[in-house]
Amino acid sequence: MLLTCFLPGEGAGQKHDHIWFYGWNNSPDQPDFHGGRIDFNYAPPLATPDLRNVNMELYGHIMSDSTGENVLYYSQGRHIFHMGGQVMEGGNNINPGYWWDISHPGPYISSMSGLSIRYPGRENEYLYFHQRYDSLRTPPICCLFPRDIYYSVIDMSANEGLGAVTSKGNVLTDAYNAGFGMTKTADNAGWWLVFGQHQSNIYHTYRVDSSGVHLRRVDTLGINIYEDPEKVDQPGYSLFSPDGTMFARSDFWNGITVLSFDRCEGRLYNARFYPTEFRNTFTGLAFSPNSRFVYYNTSGQLIQLDTREEPEAYALDTIANWDRYHELDMLPFSDGFAFSELAPDGKIYISAIGSSRHLHVIERPNLPGQACGFRQHGFPLPTSNVATVPHFPNYRLEPIDCE
């Protein structure tokens, strides 16, 4: 059944996140390893095979038009492709460097697949923010960290609607960082972009508006836990809450930092750190639709954090442990928990680590504890997926009155 699915506060349009791509490129001999798509214009969401020549294993960025019915462009982290499945004019060779070379000719081996927005005040133009990985020490393949946040400008009026990348390689920062998140300004005329420095409690806030991308402020907030020589920053994800009032950052060796955010001034404040006891390279981070709960996962545990509780109250609640299921019986590639995303239907979907024909799903993420309704292997897929879920900001966030 076709249905228009609204998260709280959604107005008409702005459904840029209603189609998700996942999975492999076409394999004539192995139809199970074709690509796939999930369409959130239907209830329940409609998952179908999607024949394309682009492997979107792990890295899966996609941007649709405001109706949510037409894909504009997508990326596997090395190139930007138009809806016809070919590299968009000017869209080749993004995220250059050592990890690009290691990933070639496959997809970029990273789950941080970036965020796209409409360029504020500019008709038919879009901004795609993305970042590359690099090494802080040798050997490079063991110790990779997010670095160099770029943005590319895409003009969808070019080439009879297929689009063109008119500017790329624009460097927001060339420093190691802990990933970034985006939320709308209070008047909805632009966006805020925030990232935290690697191994630091310093945060950079940029304003994105019709005049471009500009650094607004740099803040030092909270206790720098990395002053302890025993602690090493292993950045997981960073993102804003759906209502734009909080910014969260995960470190899969140490814990979760949550900061409050003022959309009017673009100001972070009230930093608090919630330690975790689990260490794992597969970690997901997602907010509930009501912005109260943070869901953090390793490959073997799903944890709920109640942001209304102070760290001293230790507000972490283990929702589930992985049930040890291996769908394809291919050790060590398990169906454990990989990466997560809040979807337009108000549920949180979590990909599996190995080749798997399902997603895990949190049915009622606004509710505390077991009432959140987590189901392992709860959403079936027609073709295999390897850890891929796309990431989006909240396009439907309403303006607020700063008076």
Side-chain angles (χ1 to χ4, degrees):
M1 178 177 68
L2 184 63
L3 180 72
T4 300
C5 303
F6 290 155
L7 284 176
E10 179 178 0
Q14 302 299 307
K15 299 187 195 176
H16 303 290
D17 56 351
H18 274 52
I19 296 177
W20 295 12
F21 279 176
Y22 71 88
W24 308 76
N25 53 320
N26 296 342
S27 176
D29 299 328
Q30 295 180 300
D32 181 61
F33 290 93
H34 285 175
R37 65 187 278 156
I38 305 172
D39 191 336
F40 286 93
N41 291 293
Y42 293 82
L46 179 63
T48 56
D50 189 72
L51 301 180
R52 59 175 181 269
N53 295 320
V54 181
N55 185 345
M56 300 187 75
E57 174 190 359
L58 192 59
Y59 191 112
H61 181 77
I62 182 169
M63 185 64 168
S64 298
D65 66 9
S66 61
T67 71
E69 298 177 356
N70 304 295
V71 175
L72 298 177
Y73 58 86
Y74 56 97
S75 176
Q76 39 51 310
R78 294 192 306 107
H79 310 297
I80 300 172
F81 297 83
H82 60 60
M83 60 184 178
Q86 302 299 315
V87 176
M88 184 178 285
E89 178 185 339
N92 61 312
N93 302 341
I94 63 172
N95 300 322
Y98 173 81
W99 204 233
W100 194 101
D101 297 334
I102 288 290
S103 301
H104 181 77
Y108 200 74
I109 306 174
S110 166
S111 59
M112 292 185 178
S113 54
L115 302 173
S116 278
I117 60 170
R118 295 191 69 159
Y119 205 139
R122 301 193 187 186
E123 189 175 1
N124 298 319
E125 289 191 338
Y126 293 78
L127 290 169
Y128 173 27
F129 293 88
H130 48 92
Q131 62 187 137
R132 73 181 180 99
Y133 268 58
D134 207 345
S135 174
L136 277 173
R137 46 192 177 271
T138 57
I141 200 167
C142 84
C143 308
L144 289 158
F145 299 86
R147 182 182 174 179
D148 292 31
I149 300 174
Y150 302 104
Y151 64 91
S152 300
V153 182
I154 300 170
D155 182 357
M156 288 307 304
S157 68
N159 295 315
E160 298 181 340
L162 291 178
V165 178
T166 57
S167 177
K168 67 182 178 183
N170 302 286
V171 180
L172 200 67
T173 177
D174 61 0
Y176 291 96
N177 59 80
F180 64 93
M182 299 185 72
T183 192
K184 287 188 175 184
T185 57
D187 59 4
N188 277 15
W191 291 79
W192 300 112
L193 183 149
V194 171
F195 72 85
Q197 289 184 191
H198 175 74
Q199 201 86 356
S200 172
N201 60 336
I202 299 174
Y203 295 85
H204 297 241
T205 302
Y206 287 77
R207 182 181 171 98
V208 184
D209 54 31
S210 59
S211 64
V213 183
H214 310 283
L215 179 64
R216 183 64 173 263
R217 58 189 301 146
V218 179
D219 295 299
T220 302
L221 296 160
I223 299 172
N224 184 7
I225 64 169
Y226 305 107
E227 291 178 349
D228 181 347
E230 297 297 318
K231 293 187 181 296
V232 177
D233 186 8
Q234 296 286 349
Y237 276 97
S238 293
L239 77 165
F240 274 96
S241 59
D243 66 4
T245 64
M246 282 180 284
F247 178 79
R249 162 186 177 178
S250 66
D251 170 348
F252 59 76
W253 272 18
N254 297 294
I256 304 165
T257 300
V258 178
L259 306 99
S260 299
F261 187 74
D262 184 335
R263 287 174 58 201
C264 295
E265 300 180 6
R267 180 176 60 89
L268 292 161
Y269 62 100
N270 189 27
R272 54 261 194 215
F273 177 73
Y274 300 85
T276 56
E277 299 176 354
F278 309 105
R279 293 186 174 187
N280 195 281
T281 53
F282 283 95
T283 58
L285 194 70
F287 270 96
S288 59
N290 64 3
S291 299
R292 174 178 175 178
F293 298 108
V294 172
Y295 289 88
Y296 169 79
N297 69 269
T298 65
S299 61
Q301 297 86 24
L302 174 64
I303 298 167
Q304 184 189 72
L305 163 64
D306 189 346
T307 62
R308 293 181 182 176
E309 301 288 345
E310 293 300 320
E312 293 76 15
Y314 207 68
L316 301 178
D317 183 12
T318 299
I319 299 299
N321 294 300
W322 171 48
D323 61 9
R324 317 301 296 178
Y325 179 64
H326 291 75
E327 179 182 310
L328 300 182
D329 197 24
M330 296 171 59
L331 295 174
F333 300 104
S334 76
D335 285 14
F337 314 143
F339 310 110
S340 59
E341 182 67 14
L342 174 62
D345 62 355
K347 301 178 182 182
I348 294 174
Y349 293 84
I350 304 173
S351 59
I353 293 173
S355 295
S356 176
R357 288 166 295 189
H358 63 256
L359 299 174
H360 310 292
V361 58
I362 305 173
E363 297 278 355
R364 300 177 294 277
N366 282 341
L367 299 181
Q370 295 301 315
C372 73
F374 178 60
R375 293 195 298 137
Q376 300 193 43
H377 336 293
F379 185 78
L381 300 172
T383 55
S384 288
N385 182 36
V386 182
T388 308
V389 288
H391 301 292
F392 306 95
N394 183 5
Y395 298 110
R396 297 171 289 277
L397 183 58
E398 294 181 347
I400 57 175
D401 185 358
C402 294
E403 296 297 327

